[in-house]
């Protein structure tokens, strides 16, 4: 009790941010939710989020005077109807011990139906300036200036701390020796290439004649060799040397 003593005369800021995964009470259209907050004899109501469906957004802030010994408030969500009574979606209890002792609470609170079935959740941001243990809001909270991130750049006008790693592009050790440009003997000409096969004899060997005839010399051997740089001359073939038709 000593941690949250002396809260009389101060204000508790409660911001209704949004609702998530609400129970749907409409069959053929989107529901129009709104949120009600009750604390002691104080009652607060947000605007109606038309066609908000299951995930409406409100972003409405209320100031509630806290009472000593009362550490929770009631929240309920309703669906607004034009020609009939509003439909009850769900309700729940919000604990104030954390915000009254630490000064800040950013949580999502579940709500239930009258049959104790899950009906979604309500997102609230609460801030209390008279807390004994001040909470430093982060950069994402709407209260106070954003704090410098330990992983981000330093604030303007400050030098970054020295790093234990070598600077980019440098290396504290001597560079390894470079390889020689070439191996010894690279400037000598390559050895001449040798032909592993012996040259063929000219003129070619005689070839056998078909159908059992004696061997004959190719016709190209009966003519003088052609001049240098020209192909040899082969006369057209003569008549068939054997008998026709050939014997069987």
């Amino acid at each position: 009790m000593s941690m949250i003593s002396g809260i009389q005369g101060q204000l508790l800021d409660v911001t209704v941010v949004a609702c998530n995964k609400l129970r749907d009470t409409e069959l053929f259209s989107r529901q129009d939710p709104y949120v009600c907050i009750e604390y002691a004899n104080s009652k607060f109501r947000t605007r109606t989020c038309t066609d908000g469906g299951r995930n409406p957004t409100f972003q409405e802030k209320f100031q509630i005077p806290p009472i000593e010994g009362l550490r929770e408030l009631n929240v309920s969500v309703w669906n607004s109807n034009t020609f009939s009574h509003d439909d009850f979606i769900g309700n729940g209890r919000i604990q104030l011990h954390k915000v009254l002792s630490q000064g800040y609470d950013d949580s999502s609170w579940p709500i239930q139906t009258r049959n104790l079935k899950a009906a979604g959740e309500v997102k609230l941001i609460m801030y209390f300036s008279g807390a004994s243990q001040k909470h430093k809001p982060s950069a994402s909270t709407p209260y106070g200036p954003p704090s410098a991130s330990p992983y981000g750049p330093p604030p303007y006008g400050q030098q970054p701390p020295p790093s234990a790693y070598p600077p980019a592009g440098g290396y504290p050790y001597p560079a390894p020796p470079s390889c020689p440009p070439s191996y010894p003997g690279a400037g000598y000409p390559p050895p001449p290439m040798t032909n592993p096969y012996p040259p063929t004899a000219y003129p070619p060997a005689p070839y056998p004649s078909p159908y059992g005839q004696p061997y004959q010399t190719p016709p190209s051997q009966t003519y003088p060799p052609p001049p240098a740089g020209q192909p040899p001359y082969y006369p057209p073939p003569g008549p068939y040397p054997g008998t026709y038709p050939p014997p069987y």
Side-chain angles (χ1 to χ4, degrees), residues 32-173:
D32 306 324
Y34 64 89
V35 179
C36 294
I37 296 177
E38 297 182 6
Y39 183 78
N41 296 327
S42 302
K43 296 183 180 181
F44 307 90
R45 181 188 186 277
T46 65
R47 60 176 176 83
T48 300
C49 184
T50 305
D51 292 336
R54 301 187 59 193
N55 302 288
T57 303
F58 302 99
Q59 294 290 347
E60 292 193 36
K61 179 180 177 181
F62 305 101
Q63 290 185 336
I64 303 174
I67 300 176
E68 198 76 43
L70 188 56
R71 306 182 189 179
E72 67 179 21
L73 55 84
N74 297 326
V75 60
S76 58
V77 184
W78 298 77
N79 175 34
S80 178
N81 294 323
T82 304
F83 303 105
S84 61
H85 296 288
D86 295 348
D87 299 325
F88 174 75
I89 297 178
N91 64 350
R93 294 183 178 183
I94 311 300
Q95 302 298 323
L96 304 179
H97 181 79
K98 179 179 178 180
V99 64
L100 295 178
S101 60
Q102 300 182 12
Y104 183 79
D105 190 3
D106 180 5
S107 305
S108 296
W109 303 89
I111 58 175
Q112 296 178 342
T113 63
R114 293 186 178 93
N115 298 328
L116 302 180
K117 294 183 179 180
E121 59 184 15
V122 180
K123 174 73 172 181
L124 299 180
I125 295 179
M126 297 181 290
Y127 179 75
F128 182 60
S129 59
S132 58
Q133 299 178 3
K134 292 293 183 179
H135 174 83
K136 296 181 180 181
S138 61
S140 60
T141 62
Y143 306 101
S147 59
S149 173
Y151 303 101
Y156 180 76
Q158 297 184 11
Q159 297 294 333
S163 176
Y165 297 95
Y171 200 76
Y173 304 101

